[in-house]
């Protein structure tokens, strides 16, 4: 038996936000490794969810529960998990700025509740999915964990900074072994947040048959890195498996070849769909700042022996191929 599968066999893993995009992939991979997986999410599993497509035949236990509710503490603790992967959050940055109270509950209070459940029950490790957005509207990258965090453009950055702070506080005060995993832009099959550039281009071209790509949030010059969801999942699993004590922080990057401007990734996605070079137009009404935001992942590569296994080209092709088959069956989230 392989080392990773031997480690995870019959371990009880609770995934908050398990019905979401990354959570569905994480549940699938943990189940594949032999773990006893429990997904907790406020959303029901329906035919329009990615979870239904990936996991409906696997017998994964799904509990419908809002993690920001105080009742979630006992619900999670009663599951007696060995590991808690905390992914439940409001992930769409413009939404968080429009609805700060709701987003604080979803991103910060949910983290405190999940941590309190970990404290009450006792877990081997608590894993937080965090984001490069903690750095704010930075102009220079790659970013090391110790680099300065600047003024944020969206309330999302504030909530993720606070979520990370809560993890550190619970480790210091209560001894919860924990790891913070920071990611850039995660993409891949089944993302239903069609406000994000890759799934939106796939939807507009494959489903709506548009011949022009409109950038609704930026001028297209911002540079981000794009990490395939399966590589992000392996990063979280490797982090949980290898954290020894205290509170650890790892950053995960798709590497130099994964760094693209928003305009560039839109054109690349469109071209992969059908070979057409569609014009890219800019909606300047709500244009965000131009940034360069990507992460230094050298620590994860050295200490976890982690590296992305998908190039941007292979990851995008897998994503486009999946959407080509299933995009009409997904229920959209925020657009």
């Amino acid at each position: 038996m392989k080392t990773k599968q031997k480690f995870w066999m019959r371990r009880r893993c609770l995934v908050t936000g398990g019905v979401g995009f990354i959570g569905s992939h994480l549940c699938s991979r943990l189940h594949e490794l032999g773990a006893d997986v429990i997904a907790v999410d406020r959303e029901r599993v329906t035919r329009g969810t990615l979870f239904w497509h990936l996991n409906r035949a696997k017998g994964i236990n799904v509990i419908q529960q809002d993690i920001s509710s105080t009742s979630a503490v006992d619900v999670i603790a009663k599951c007696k998990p060995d590991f808690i992967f905390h992914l439940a959050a409001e992930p769409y940055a413009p939404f968080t700025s429009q609805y700060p109270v709701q987003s604080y509950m979803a991103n910060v209070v949910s983290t405190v509740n999940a941590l309190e459940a970990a404290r009450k029950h006792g877990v081997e490790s608590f894993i937080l999915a965090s984001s490069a957005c903690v750095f704010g509207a930075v102009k220079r990258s790659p970013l090391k964990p110790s680099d300065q965090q600047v003024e944020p453009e969206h309330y999302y950055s504030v909530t993720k900074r606070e979520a990370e702070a809560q993890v550190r506080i619970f480790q210091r005060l209560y001894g919860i072994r924990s790891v913070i995993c920071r990611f850039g832009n995660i993409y891949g099959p089944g993302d239903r947040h069609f406000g994000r550039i890759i799934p939106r281009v796939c939807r507009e071209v494959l489903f709506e048959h548009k011949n022009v790509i409109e950038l609704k949030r930026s001028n297209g010059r911002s540079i981000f890195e794009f990490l395939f969801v399966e590589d992000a999942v392996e990063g979280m699993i490797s982090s949980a498996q290898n954290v020894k004590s205290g509170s650890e922080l790892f950053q995960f990057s798709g590497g130099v070849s994964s760094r693209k401007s928003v305009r560039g990734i839109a054109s690349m996605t469109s071209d992969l769909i059908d070979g057409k070079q569609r014009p890219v137009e800019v909606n300047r009404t709500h244009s965000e700042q131009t940034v360069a935001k990507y992460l230094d992942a050298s620590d994860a590569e050295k200490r976890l022996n982690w590296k992305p296994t998908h190039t941007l080209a292979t990851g995008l092709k897998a994503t486009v191929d999946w959407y080509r088959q299933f995009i009409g069956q997904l229920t959209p989230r925020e657009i």
Side-chain angles (χ1 to χ4, degrees):
M1 184 181 294
K2 294 181 180 178
T3 303
K4 184 172 284 188
Q5 190 165 17
K6 184 176 180 180
F7 177 90
W8 289 104
M9 184 66 65
R10 290 185 291 277
R11 297 292 185 99
R12 180 164 291 186
C13 298
L14 187 143
V15 181
T16 73
V19 179
F21 165 49
I22 304 170
S24 294
H25 282 278
L26 177 59
C27 287
S28 179
R29 177 59 174 148
L30 287 169
H31 181 271
E32 182 180 279
L33 290 171
D36 176 12
V37 184
I38 303 169
V40 183
D41 204 300
R42 66 188 179 189
E43 184 175 15
R44 290 190 309 110
V45 176
T46 65
R47 288 177 177 268
T49 61
L50 174 63
F51 191 95
W52 189 88
H53 285 275
L54 289 184
N55 298 315
R56 66 184 184 275
K58 295 175 181 175
I60 295 173
N61 185 17
V62 181
I63 299 172
Q64 189 177 4
Q65 171 69 51
D66 185 346
I67 308 298
S68 66
S69 169
T70 54
S71 62
V73 175
D74 287 334
V75 170
I76 294 172
K78 286 178 181 177
C79 292
K80 298 182 179 180
D82 299 312
F83 294 85
I84 295 177
F85 292 85
H86 182 52
L87 281 67
E90 173 46 64
Y92 189 51
F95 182 94
T96 65
S97 296
Q98 189 174 0
Y99 301 100
V101 174
Q102 183 175 335
S103 300
Y104 187 88
M105 295 293 293
N107 294 6
V108 181
V109 175
S110 73
T111 304
V112 175
N113 287 341
L115 284 163
E116 175 63 359
R119 185 182 75 86
K120 287 184 69 173
H121 164 63
V123 296
E124 288 192 39
S125 293
F126 181 97
I127 302 91
L128 173 71
S130 191
S131 167
C133 285
V134 297
F135 289 103
V138 292
K139 308 295 183 183
R140 295 183 179 179
S141 288
L143 296 157
K144 296 181 179 180
S146 59
D147 282 346
Q148 181 182 6
Q149 297 179 357
V150 303
E151 284 298 312
E153 181 166 16
H154 288 291
Y155 192 68
Y156 181 71
S157 297
V158 178
T159 64
K160 297 309 283 186
R161 289 176 186 177
E162 181 61 22
E164 287 191 3
Q166 291 296 332
V167 171
R168 296 188 185 97
I169 290 167
F170 267 74
Q171 191 284 318
R172 188 166 63 248
L173 294 181
Y174 308 115
I176 296 175
R177 188 165 63 176
S178 57
V179 58
I180 296 166
C181 298
R182 284 184 188 156
F183 302 99
N185 289 38
I186 299 175
Y187 73 98
D191 187 355
R192 297 184 292 130
H193 286 268
F194 291 110
R196 295 177 182 146
I197 187 63
I198 292 173
R200 184 163 61 79
V201 171
C202 288
R203 181 174 176 83
E204 290 184 350
V205 174
L206 288 168
F207 191 69
E208 300 173 1
H209 308 294
K210 291 188 177 180
N211 291 312
V212 175
I213 299 169
E214 183 182 14
L215 302 183
K216 297 181 179 180
R217 291 174 53 184
S218 74
N219 57 23
R221 293 196 297 270
S222 287
I223 299 173
F224 298 101
E225 63 184 359
F226 296 87
L227 181 65
F228 192 63
V229 63
E230 291 178 5
D231 290 324
V233 162
E234 292 302 323
M236 280 185 279
I237 290 173
S238 294
S239 297
Q241 186 173 339
N242 289 283
V243 62
K244 302 304 180 185
S245 62
S247 180
E248 303 264 17
L249 189 155
F250 293 106
Q251 298 189 153
F252 300 91
S253 166
V256 174
S257 65
S258 76
R259 297 165 190 168
K260 286 279 186 181
S261 68
V262 175
R263 182 181 289 270
I265 198 71
S267 295
M268 185 176 179
T269 305
S270 172
D271 183 63
L272 271 172
I273 291 172
D274 58 10
K276 291 184 179 179
Q277 293 292 323
R278 291 172 174 80
V280 180
E281 297 182 352
V282 176
N283 181 343
R284 301 183 185 277
T285 307
H286 303 289
S287 186
E288 297 174 349
Q289 297 182 51
T290 301
V291 301
K293 191 181 298 183
Y294 38 92
L295 299 171
D296 180 335
S298 57
D299 199 33
E301 292 175 1
K302 180 173 63 176
R303 295 176 58 202
L304 302 178
N305 196 29
W306 175 92
K307 283 191 176 181
T309 58
H310 295 78
T311 66
L312 186 56
T314 61
L316 268 182
K317 183 180 184 304
T319 302
V320 167
D321 288 346
W322 192 93
Y323 278 126
R324 195 187 309 279
Q325 185 174 358
F326 297 111
I327 196 164
Q329 300 177 33
L330 295 177
T331 302
R333 297 293 297 270
E334 294 80 11
I335 295 178

